[in-house]
Amino acid sequence: MADLPSVLFPDGKGVPALGLGTWTMGEGRAPAAQEAAALALGLDLGMTLVDTAEMYGDGGAEEVVARAISGRRDRVFVVSKLYPHNAGRKAAIAACERSLRRLSTDRLDLYLLHWRGSIPLAETLAAFERLRAEGKILRWGVSNFDTADMRELFEIPEGRHCATNQVLYHLAERGIEWELLPWMRERRMPVMAYSPLGQGTLLGKQKLAAIASRVGATPAQVALRWLLRSPDVIAIPESVDPAHLRANRAAVSLRLGAQALREIDAAFPPPKGPTSLAII
Ligand SMILES: NC(=O)c1ccc[n+]([C@@H]2O[C@H](COP(=O)([O-])OP(=O)(O)OC[C@H]3O[C@@H](n4cnc5c(N)ncnc54)[C@H](OP(=O)(O)O)[C@@H]3O)[C@@H](O)[C@H]2O)c1
């Protein structure tokens, strides 16, 4: 199997371009042991970045992650997010400490503001910088920020420490290619693409199925490989199905030639003008 490409954060830290999502975990949809086993399989396959949030399963997803990373914490890049209403100077510290407890760890590799709320960004950044100084988080970033939000963030001196922006990005949602992605690229900041399979909705699309059958892959593999064509995109698909996890990992070996890329652009066109950021 081809090696997983690495994506670099601005501080030089490399992570696998394919990680693991956890949005629907820890809510009892599947037994927690099964969810933890799925994550553990993903880690065994080299997808050693796990994306979670205090919101997912009301903390339950972080507890599932704790089970999966037990005994190998040092080999996993753990990402969590805080609610905007917890993003105040003191509340953010407390929220992070709760996440650390649920995750049974002493640090997060990356801590994200889940989306923008009403608390001034400067307050959140002060909390992030304090958490970083104390070693409770190694780096921080944002999520669901459009270009104007990123510009505002960068007007705050500490804003330049932002490691990433996690946004909705998949074949059928390419709006960020107009402005946000180039803006981040200029600053050498990778994008974390959430819902890279459109929460599964992408997979039923006839045009994608036709392209996938021509290149001898599944629709999910084409959707993931297409995202990984860029050296600065990290995709974090979620799956509790071992066969899907193996297929997602194998997508890295898929070759998408110029012809396939042209067919993809025809079926799922890039934006033709400014497009506001789509958010789930
Ligand atoms: N920052 C934010 O605001 C935000 C918002 C949304 C999501 N996220 C993050 O992004 C992660 C991924 O997004 P998502 O969970 O919304 O959606 P997604 O990863 O696009 O899609 C997940 C769905 O695809 C299915 N699937 C996965 N691999 C497959 C394969 N190879 N073949 C067929 N079906 C497959 C899964 O079912 P099976 O389990 O059956 O495989 C699941 O139903 C989340 O878990 C979360 O960590 C962040």
Side-chain angles (χ1 to χ4, degrees):
M1 209 185 303
D3 283 348
L4 263 169
S6 202
V7 174
L8 297 182
F9 284 105
D11 63 6
K13 172 70 182 171
V15 292
L18 207 49
L20 302 163
T22 65
W23 188 6
T24 66
M25 296 188 181
E27 325 186 301
R29 290 192 197 197
Q34 189 186 331
E35 294 172 340
L39 290 176
L41 171 62
L43 298 175
D44 291 342
L45 292 168
M47 297 181 280
T48 55
L49 179 152
V50 183
D51 178 78
T52 191
E54 63 172 340
M55 182 181 102
Y56 303 162
D58 208 8
E62 291 180 324
E63 289 168 0
V64 170
V65 172
R67 291 170 76 153
I69 65 175
S70 167
R72 53 169 138 184
R73 169 68 187 92
D74 291 348
R75 281 168 279 138
V76 184
F77 188 93
V78 179
V79 185
S80 194
K81 316 183 196 77
L82 84 165
Y83 274 119
H85 63 255
N86 281 340
R89 201 178 290 270
K90 281 194 182 147
I93 311 277
C96 180
E97 284 167 353
R98 286 194 298 271
S99 283
L100 291 174
R101 267 198 299 280
R102 284 189 294 261
L103 285 158
S104 296
T105 186
D106 58 351
R107 80 233 177 246
L108 296 173
D109 295 279
L110 177 63
Y111 199 30
L112 306 177
L113 173 59
H114 209 148
W115 64 90
R116 210 176 157 178
S118 55
I119 291 173
L121 286 177
E123 255 201 62
T124 307
L125 266 51
F128 279 166
E129 288 296 329
R130 187 172 142 202
L131 287 166
R132 204 158 68 97
E134 291 172 352
K136 290 176 181 159
I137 65 173
L138 302 189
R139 51 194 71 71
W140 61 264
V142 294
S143 177
N144 295 302
F145 269 43
D146 210 341
T147 320
D149 301 307
M150 291 306 287
R151 286 206 175 94
E152 215 178 307
L153 183 75
F154 266 58
E155 278 165 19
I156 303 167
E158 298 80 15
R160 284 161 203 278
H161 296 162
C162 179
T164 189
N165 182 14
Q166 185 180 116
V167 292
L168 179 65
Y169 184 38
H170 59 71
L171 276 175
E173 283 291 355
R174 298 182 59 175
I176 66 164
E177 290 174 24
W178 186 263
E179 191 180 18
L180 182 59
L181 187 57
W183 191 93
M184 291 178 61
R185 215 160 250 170
E186 269 174 38
R187 286 153 187 84
R188 299 184 184 282
M189 194 190 290
V191 166
M192 291 185 77
Y194 75 65
S195 304
L197 305 173
Q199 301 187 285
T201 57
L202 203 50
L203 308 179
K205 298 211 184 280
Q206 196 105 60
K207 287 178 178 173
L208 178 56
I211 296 167
S213 100
R214 269 198 289 287
V215 299
T218 67
Q221 288 176 319
V222 172
L224 293 175
R225 186 65 188 82
W226 176 81
L227 281 171
L228 302 193
R229 79 201 184 290
S230 309
D232 51 4
V233 173
I234 302 159
I236 47 168
E238 174 171 338
S239 180
V240 290
D241 181 328
H244 288 168
L245 284 156
R246 290 182 198 283
N248 293 350
R249 172 63 180 87
V252 173
S253 310
L254 175 65
R255 283 176 63 91
L256 286 180
Q259 170 68 18
L261 291 173
R262 272 196 299 277
E263 287 175 22
I264 288 174
D265 279 345
F268 303 97
K272 293 191 174 63
T275 315
S276 350
L277 180 66
I279 289 174
I280 288 186

PDB file of all heavy atoms in Angstrom, residues 40 43-44 64-76 78 103-105 107:
ATOM      1  N   ALA A  40      -9.361   2.468  16.282  1.00  0.00           N
ATOM      2  CA  ALA A  40      -8.080   1.769  16.485  1.00  0.00           C
ATOM      3  C   ALA A  40      -7.614   1.142  15.170  1.00  0.00           C
ATOM      4  O   ALA A  40      -6.416   1.185  14.847  1.00  0.00           O
ATOM      5  CB  ALA A  40      -8.229   0.711  17.573  1.00  0.00           C
ATOM      6  N   LEU A  43      -6.158   3.823  13.079  1.00  0.00           N
ATOM      7  CA  LEU A  43      -4.807   4.169  13.568  1.00  0.00           C
ATOM      8  C   LEU A  43      -3.795   3.124  13.103  1.00  0.00           C
ATOM      9  O   LEU A  43      -2.710   3.462  12.630  1.00  0.00           O
ATOM     10  CB  LEU A  43      -4.789   4.275  15.099  1.00  0.00           C
ATOM     11  CG  LEU A  43      -5.680   5.358  15.731  1.00  0.00           C
ATOM     12  CD1 LEU A  43      -5.644   5.254  17.258  1.00  0.00           C
ATOM     13  CD2 LEU A  43      -5.240   6.757  15.283  1.00  0.00           C
ATOM     14  N   ASP A  44      -4.201   1.833  13.209  1.00  0.00           N
ATOM     15  CA  ASP A  44      -3.300   0.755  12.756  1.00  0.00           C
ATOM     16  C   ASP A  44      -2.956   0.931  11.275  1.00  0.00           C
ATOM     17  O   ASP A  44      -1.863   0.592  10.841  1.00  0.00           O
ATOM     18  CB  ASP A  44      -3.972  -0.623  12.912  1.00  0.00           C
ATOM     19  CG  ASP A  44      -4.141  -1.030  14.361  1.00  0.00           C
ATOM     20  OD1 ASP A  44      -3.464  -0.446  15.228  1.00  0.00           O
ATOM     21  OD2 ASP A  44      -4.973  -1.928  14.615  1.00  0.00           O
ATOM     22  N   VAL A  64     -14.680   8.008  23.587  1.00  0.00           N
ATOM     23  CA  VAL A  64     -14.413   6.910  22.640  1.00  0.00           C
ATOM     24  C   VAL A  64     -12.977   7.033  22.123  1.00  0.00           C
ATOM     25  O   VAL A  64     -12.241   6.041  22.039  1.00  0.00           O
ATOM     26  CB  VAL A  64     -15.427   6.931  21.465  1.00  0.00           C
ATOM     27  CG1 VAL A  64     -15.005   5.962  20.376  1.00  0.00           C
ATOM     28  CG2 VAL A  64     -16.830   6.608  21.956  1.00  0.00           C
ATOM     29  N   VAL A  65     -12.567   8.264  21.810  1.00  0.00           N
ATOM     30  CA  VAL A  65     -11.193   8.487  21.323  1.00  0.00           C
ATOM     31  C   VAL A  65     -10.193   8.033  22.393  1.00  0.00           C
ATOM     32  O   VAL A  65      -9.186   7.385  22.083  1.00  0.00           O
ATOM     33  CB  VAL A  65     -10.973   9.973  20.940  1.00  0.00           C
ATOM     34  CG1 VAL A  65      -9.503  10.241  20.614  1.00  0.00           C
ATOM     35  CG2 VAL A  65     -11.859  10.357  19.754  1.00  0.00           C
ATOM     36  N   ALA A  66     -10.489   8.347  23.663  1.00  0.00           N
ATOM     37  CA  ALA A  66      -9.575   7.945  24.753  1.00  0.00           C
ATOM     38  C   ALA A  66      -9.341   6.439  24.721  1.00  0.00           C
ATOM     39  O   ALA A  66      -8.212   5.968  24.888  1.00  0.00           O
ATOM     40  CB  ALA A  66     -10.153   8.368  26.104  1.00  0.00           C
ATOM     41  N   ARG A  67     -10.427   5.667  24.479  1.00  0.00           N
ATOM     42  CA  ARG A  67     -10.270   4.199  24.438  1.00  0.00           C
ATOM     43  C   ARG A  67      -9.388   3.792  23.268  1.00  0.00           C
ATOM     44  O   ARG A  67      -8.547   2.911  23.390  1.00  0.00           O
ATOM     45  CB  ARG A  67     -11.639   3.521  24.273  1.00  0.00           C
ATOM     46  CG  ARG A  67     -12.507   3.670  25.503  1.00  0.00           C
ATOM     47  CD  ARG A  67     -13.927   3.226  25.259  1.00  0.00           C
ATOM     48  NE  ARG A  67     -14.074   1.775  25.225  1.00  0.00           N
ATOM     49  CZ  ARG A  67     -15.196   1.145  25.539  1.00  0.00           C
ATOM     50  NH1 ARG A  67     -16.247   1.822  25.931  1.00  0.00           N
ATOM     51  NH2 ARG A  67     -15.279  -0.165  25.465  1.00  0.00           N
ATOM     52  N   ALA A  68      -9.584   4.465  22.132  1.00  0.00           N
ATOM     53  CA  ALA A  68      -8.848   4.076  20.916  1.00  0.00           C
ATOM     54  C   ALA A  68      -7.359   4.408  21.005  1.00  0.00           C
ATOM     55  O   ALA A  68      -6.540   3.678  20.458  1.00  0.00           O
ATOM     56  CB  ALA A  68      -9.471   4.754  19.696  1.00  0.00           C
ATOM     57  N   ILE A  69      -7.040   5.498  21.688  1.00  0.00           N
ATOM     58  CA  ILE A  69      -5.620   5.923  21.689  1.00  0.00           C
ATOM     59  C   ILE A  69      -4.863   5.397  22.914  1.00  0.00           C
ATOM     60  O   ILE A  69      -3.662   5.610  23.027  1.00  0.00           O
ATOM     61  CB  ILE A  69      -5.471   7.472  21.617  1.00  0.00           C
ATOM     62  CG1 ILE A  69      -6.028   8.148  22.870  1.00  0.00           C
ATOM     63  CG2 ILE A  69      -6.127   8.014  20.357  1.00  0.00           C
ATOM     64  CD1 ILE A  69      -5.799   9.670  22.899  1.00  0.00           C
ATOM     65  N   SER A  70      -5.582   4.697  23.785  1.00  0.00           N
ATOM     66  CA  SER A  70      -4.944   4.196  25.005  1.00  0.00           C
ATOM     67  C   SER A  70      -3.737   3.326  24.645  1.00  0.00           C
ATOM     68  O   SER A  70      -3.824   2.439  23.807  1.00  0.00           O
ATOM     69  CB  SER A  70      -5.992   3.399  25.788  1.00  0.00           C
ATOM     70  OG  SER A  70      -5.373   2.676  26.777  1.00  0.00           O
ATOM     71  N   GLY A  71      -2.593   3.629  25.270  1.00  0.00           N
ATOM     72  CA  GLY A  71      -1.381   2.848  25.019  1.00  0.00           C
ATOM     73  C   GLY A  71      -0.568   3.326  23.836  1.00  0.00           C
ATOM     74  O   GLY A  71       0.520   2.829  23.587  1.00  0.00           O
ATOM     75  N   ARG A  72      -1.126   4.292  23.070  1.00  0.00           N
ATOM     76  CA  ARG A  72      -0.346   4.796  21.922  1.00  0.00           C
ATOM     77  C   ARG A  72      -0.561   6.298  21.719  1.00  0.00           C
ATOM     78  O   ARG A  72      -0.545   6.799  20.592  1.00  0.00           O
ATOM     79  CB  ARG A  72      -0.680   4.033  20.662  1.00  0.00           C
ATOM     80  CG  ARG A  72      -2.160   3.976  20.325  1.00  0.00           C
ATOM     81  CD  ARG A  72      -2.350   3.429  18.931  1.00  0.00           C
ATOM     82  NE  ARG A  72      -3.451   2.493  18.865  1.00  0.00           N
ATOM     83  CZ  ARG A  72      -3.758   1.819  17.777  1.00  0.00           C
ATOM     84  NH1 ARG A  72      -3.062   1.967  16.695  1.00  0.00           N
ATOM     85  NH2 ARG A  72      -4.780   0.983  17.765  1.00  0.00           N
ATOM     86  N   ARG A  73      -0.817   6.979  22.819  1.00  0.00           N
ATOM     87  CA  ARG A  73      -1.093   8.420  22.732  1.00  0.00           C
ATOM     88  C   ARG A  73      -0.025   9.174  21.946  1.00  0.00           C
ATOM     89  O   ARG A  73      -0.342  10.064  21.153  1.00  0.00           O
ATOM     90  CB  ARG A  73      -1.231   9.006  24.155  1.00  0.00           C
ATOM     91  CG  ARG A  73      -1.251  10.534  24.223  1.00  0.00           C
ATOM     92  CD  ARG A  73      -2.514  11.083  23.586  1.00  0.00           C
ATOM     93  NE  ARG A  73      -2.524  12.518  23.475  1.00  0.00           N
ATOM     94  CZ  ARG A  73      -2.100  13.195  22.407  1.00  0.00           C
ATOM     95  NH1 ARG A  73      -1.590  12.563  21.361  1.00  0.00           N
ATOM     96  NH2 ARG A  73      -2.198  14.513  22.364  1.00  0.00           N
ATOM     97  N   ASP A  74       1.251   8.797  22.171  1.00  0.00           N
ATOM     98  CA  ASP A  74       2.335   9.563  21.547  1.00  0.00           C
ATOM     99  C   ASP A  74       2.370   9.420  20.031  1.00  0.00           C
ATOM    100  O   ASP A  74       3.013  10.209  19.351  1.00  0.00           O
ATOM    101  CB  ASP A  74       3.695   9.128  22.119  1.00  0.00           C
ATOM    102  CG  ASP A  74       3.847   9.564  23.569  1.00  0.00           C
ATOM    103  OD1 ASP A  74       3.014  10.376  24.031  1.00  0.00           O
ATOM    104  OD2 ASP A  74       4.772   9.082  24.234  1.00  0.00           O
ATOM    105  N   ARG A  75       1.680   8.387  19.509  1.00  0.00           N
ATOM    106  CA  ARG A  75       1.709   8.174  18.051  1.00  0.00           C
ATOM    107  C   ARG A  75       0.449   8.693  17.373  1.00  0.00           C
ATOM    108  O   ARG A  75       0.210   8.415  16.204  1.00  0.00           O
ATOM    109  CB  ARG A  75       1.900   6.677  17.761  1.00  0.00           C
ATOM    110  CG  ARG A  75       3.364   6.261  17.926  1.00  0.00           C
ATOM    111  CD  ARG A  75       3.528   4.766  17.926  1.00  0.00           C
ATOM    112  NE  ARG A  75       3.229   4.206  19.233  1.00  0.00           N
ATOM    113  CZ  ARG A  75       2.521   3.089  19.433  1.00  0.00           C
ATOM    114  NH1 ARG A  75       2.046   2.416  18.442  1.00  0.00           N
ATOM    115  NH2 ARG A  75       2.302   2.661  20.670  1.00  0.00           N
ATOM    116  N   VAL A  76      -0.373   9.432  18.130  1.00  0.00           N
ATOM    117  CA  VAL A  76      -1.631   9.946  17.560  1.00  0.00           C
ATOM    118  C   VAL A  76      -1.658  11.469  17.669  1.00  0.00           C
ATOM    119  O   VAL A  76      -1.228  12.038  18.675  1.00  0.00           O
ATOM    120  CB  VAL A  76      -2.853   9.341  18.295  1.00  0.00           C
ATOM    121  CG1 VAL A  76      -4.150   9.797  17.633  1.00  0.00           C
ATOM    122  CG2 VAL A  76      -2.778   7.820  18.319  1.00  0.00           C
ATOM    123  N   VAL A  78      -4.047  14.329  18.135  1.00  0.00           N
ATOM    124  CA  VAL A  78      -5.426  14.494  18.620  1.00  0.00           C
ATOM    125  C   VAL A  78      -5.896  15.937  18.431  1.00  0.00           C
ATOM    126  O   VAL A  78      -5.258  16.883  18.902  1.00  0.00           O
ATOM    127  CB  VAL A  78      -5.525  14.090  20.118  1.00  0.00           C
ATOM    128  CG1 VAL A  78      -6.955  14.295  20.618  1.00  0.00           C
ATOM    129  CG2 VAL A  78      -5.094  12.644  20.320  1.00  0.00           C
ATOM    130  N   LEU A 103     -10.456  12.805  27.328  1.00  0.00           N
ATOM    131  CA  LEU A 103      -9.541  12.136  26.397  1.00  0.00           C
ATOM    132  C   LEU A 103      -8.424  11.377  27.120  1.00  0.00           C
ATOM    133  O   LEU A 103      -7.606  10.716  26.474  1.00  0.00           O
ATOM    134  CB  LEU A 103      -8.917  13.172  25.449  1.00  0.00           C
ATOM    135  CG  LEU A 103      -9.841  13.682  24.343  1.00  0.00           C
ATOM    136  CD1 LEU A 103      -9.383  15.033  23.821  1.00  0.00           C
ATOM    137  CD2 LEU A 103      -9.900  12.677  23.195  1.00  0.00           C
ATOM    138  N   SER A 104      -8.403  11.485  28.443  1.00  0.00           N
ATOM    139  CA  SER A 104      -7.346  10.855  29.267  1.00  0.00           C
ATOM    140  C   SER A 104      -5.959  11.204  28.756  1.00  0.00           C
ATOM    141  O   SER A 104      -5.104  10.337  28.571  1.00  0.00           O
ATOM    142  CB  SER A 104      -7.466   9.321  29.287  1.00  0.00           C
ATOM    143  OG  SER A 104      -8.641   8.944  29.887  1.00  0.00           O
ATOM    144  N   THR A 105      -5.745  12.470  28.482  1.00  0.00           N
ATOM    145  CA  THR A 105      -4.432  12.899  28.014  1.00  0.00           C
ATOM    146  C   THR A 105      -4.051  14.207  28.698  1.00  0.00           C
ATOM    147  O   THR A 105      -4.901  14.860  29.314  1.00  0.00           O
ATOM    148  CB  THR A 105      -4.425  13.057  26.472  1.00  0.00           C
ATOM    149  OG1 THR A 105      -3.092  13.352  26.036  1.00  0.00           O
ATOM    150  CG2 THR A 105      -5.341  14.179  26.002  1.00  0.00           C
ATOM    151  N   ARG A 107      -2.438  16.650  26.891  1.00  0.00           N
ATOM    152  CA  ARG A 107      -2.318  17.717  25.892  1.00  0.00           C
ATOM    153  C   ARG A 107      -3.109  17.376  24.631  1.00  0.00           C
ATOM    154  O   ARG A 107      -3.299  16.195  24.303  1.00  0.00           O
ATOM    155  CB  ARG A 107      -0.848  17.931  25.495  1.00  0.00           C
ATOM    156  CG  ARG A 107      -0.341  16.922  24.493  1.00  0.00           C
ATOM    157  CD  ARG A 107       0.927  16.231  24.940  1.00  0.00           C
ATOM    158  NE  ARG A 107       1.310  15.218  23.962  1.00  0.00           N
ATOM    159  CZ  ARG A 107       1.306  13.923  24.249  1.00  0.00           C
ATOM    160  NH1 ARG A 107       0.895  13.458  25.422  1.00  0.00           N
ATOM    161  NH2 ARG A 107       1.704  13.057  23.343  1.00  0.00           N
TER     162      ARG A 107
END
